[in-house]
């Protein structure tokens, strides 16, 4: 497991790696994806290191809820509340997780295929 000190998203949270941050509070940071897959592509991450969805506990329920609610606020701020947007958590290899610090993708601004690839 990646130590928080070596984790890319922990380093974005602590400011030692720069990112285009769109929201920050005590428990969440949201920033633009470096390789956007849609006109709006934001990653919403907990400030605390959690590697995958499998590592969440019942005590994290409010945190996860706040990630989705923040995604809705950011989508709305960018004018996508009515047009639509997608939120995605990838968990582990077959889902394509490449950074092992839980992150909610927010994608908007183009037609998004279903089912995903
Ligand atoms: P995953 O594939 O784990 O679900 O998503 C990881 C995301 O992190 C990818 O969409 C990738 O483009 C993004 N990413 C990887 N490295 C960086 C980085 O250094 N800065 C930012 N802002 N995003 C990154
Ligand atoms: Zn981390």
């Amino acid at each position: 497991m990646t130590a928080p000190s070596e984790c890319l998203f922990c380093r974005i949270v602590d400011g030692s790696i720069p990112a285009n941050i769109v929201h920050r509070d005590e428990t969440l940071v949201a920033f633009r994806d470096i390789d956007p897959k849609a006109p709006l592509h934001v990653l919403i991450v907990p400030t605390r290191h959690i590697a995958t969805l499998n590592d969440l506990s019942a005590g994290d329920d409010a945190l996860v809820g706040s990630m989705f609610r923040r995604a809705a606020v950011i989508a709305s701020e960018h004018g996508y509340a009515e047009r639509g947007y997608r939120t995605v958590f990838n968990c582990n290899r077959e889902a394509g997780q490449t950074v092992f610090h839980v992150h909610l993708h927010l994608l908007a601004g183009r037609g998004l295929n279903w089912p995903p690839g």
Side-chain angles (χ1 to χ4, degrees):
M1 184 179 142
T2 313
S5 60
E6 294 167 5
C7 168
L8 175 62
F9 289 173
C10 282
R11 297 189 66 194
I12 287 176
V13 167
D14 73 19
S16 57
I17 291 179
N20 186 335
I21 291 176
V22 299
H23 173 83
R24 175 187 284 280
D25 62 38
E26 269 187 25
T27 59
L28 299 181
V29 176
F31 52 90
R32 298 262 185 178
D33 196 292
I34 203 168
D35 180 19
K37 313 301 188 295
L40 179 68
H41 188 175
V42 169
L43 303 173
I44 300 155
V45 310
T47 53
R48 178 164 55 89
H49 182 83
I50 303 169
T52 79
L53 285 190
N54 296 333
D55 301 301
L56 291 169
S57 62
D60 297 317
D61 288 359
L63 173 68
V64 175
S66 73
M67 293 171 78
F68 281 107
R69 283 176 36 79
R70 181 54 51 187
V73 169
I74 295 168
S76 179
E77 287 171 347
H78 289 80
Y80 295 115
E82 303 308 321
R83 279 178 62 182
Y85 56 90
R86 185 168 294 166
T87 52
V88 178
F89 279 108
N90 294 324
C91 182
N92 280 336
R93 184 173 49 86
E94 287 199 355
Q97 184 174 6
T98 59
V99 179
F100 289 86
H101 179 133
V102 164
H103 48 282
L104 182 61
H105 293 262
L106 166 63
L107 298 145
R110 65 174 174 84
L112 296 163
N113 295 333
W114 191 262

